[in-house]
Amino acid sequence: MYSTAEDLYLWDRALYTNTLVTKDSLKILFDQYTSYCGSYGWVIDEQIINNQPRKRIGHFGSMNGFGSDFNRYVNDDLVIIVLSNFDLTPVQRISQCLAEIAYGGELQKLAITNPIQINESIIKQLEGIYEYGLFKEQDQYLERNMQESLVQLIDMDIPKISVGLFCKLFREYGINPNSTIIVTYEDCKLYLFMRKNHGAWFKYEIYPVSDQTNSITCLAKDIDERVVFNINPSGVIRIVHFDAYGNETMAYKTQDDYKNDCVTRTLAD
């Protein structure tokens, strides 16, 4: 399906008239609150904005490659339309923030962050395949397989990732796509490779903004996401990923062959 914000605005305007749909039909569609998408695809509910209830008629939609959010606050003649051709864009969060601003909320300025320099030997430790759940020791065969698969993933360019060629690699090396986060270090940059909306995998850059004892915090370059790497003195590395909606995912590095030469983190680092 193809549309624009301008076209959807015309659609919103038309739904205040009986040009396309009769007034009686509109009343049936929009007068009563419904379950999710319970009114021929529309969601009719009450949203609390700046501590005030607001009737909302809306619909959220996304597929691999795009996302959209369309919210009509009919009692105030307000419509908010957010479209993106980048599936990682948090369109629902943006829509919520715009509604808060429209209803008199304070505009929050974004904090300016700059990447920091960290010793390459330390950054290189973060590279690896991480698995959701508790860390468990791996046998040498599995460690070797994971390292081999990581090398091939680093060599795989974006076009090959886009058409899903990594799935064959996952099957070959026994990588579970439902419980895996991958971190690569390429050309002096860190990348996160993980499942996002609808199970689609994305690879995108992250950069360090904080270096503390046993902890490195990174931000995503293009979206509002935060990644914290916790480096245990014993060598175990845990990743905690926070997405744009505040959801938290915790995973542990599966291969532990880096432990023998792990750099001990101190304040002097």
Side-chain angles (χ1 to χ4, degrees), residues 137-153:
E137 296 291 338
Q138 307 293 328
D139 59 41
Q140 292 183 355
Y141 174 74
L142 183 56
E143 289 174 17
R144 186 169 60 254
N145 273 356
M146 288 300 185
Q147 190 60 37
E148 291 172 357
S149 64
L150 187 63
V151 170
Q152 293 192 45
L153 284 169

Side-chain angles (χ1 to χ4, degrees), residues 104-148:
E106 182 180 352
L107 180 62
Q108 301 291 329
K109 293 184 178 180
L110 294 176
I112 297 176
T113 58
N114 295 304
I116 62 173
Q117 296 295 320
I118 298 179
N119 188 288
E120 186 176 30
S121 64
I122 296 173
I123 286 291
K124 187 68 176 176
Q125 291 182 67
L126 307 181
E127 183 178 71
I129 298 175
Y130 293 75
E131 186 177 17
Y132 304 179
L134 296 177
F135 175 83
K136 54 183 180 293
E137 296 291 338
Q138 307 293 328
D139 59 41
Q140 292 183 355
Y141 174 74
L142 183 56
E143 289 174 17
R144 186 169 60 254
N145 273 356
M146 288 300 185
Q147 190 60 37
E148 291 172 357

Side-chain angles (χ1 to χ4, degrees), residues 20-80:
L20 299 176
V21 183
T22 67
K23 290 285 188 179
D24 289 340
S25 293
L26 290 173
K27 186 177 180 66
I28 293 171
L29 281 172
F30 298 146
D31 269 13
Q32 302 297 320
Y33 292 165
T34 68
S35 59
Y36 186 74
C37 293
S39 186
Y40 293 89
W42 292 99
V43 178
I44 295 87
D45 63 8
E46 188 175 78
Q47 187 178 29
I48 303 299
I49 302 176
N50 299 339
N51 299 318
Q52 293 293 326
R54 308 284 182 178
K55 182 178 180 179
R56 175 181 62 172
I57 300 172
H59 183 75
F60 164 77
S62 69
M63 290 180 65
N64 297 352
F66 74 86
S68 63
D69 202 27
F70 183 13
N71 290 313
R72 308 175 65 232
Y73 300 93
V74 291
N75 293 336
D76 303 292
D77 194 19
L78 171 68
V79 61
I80 296 176

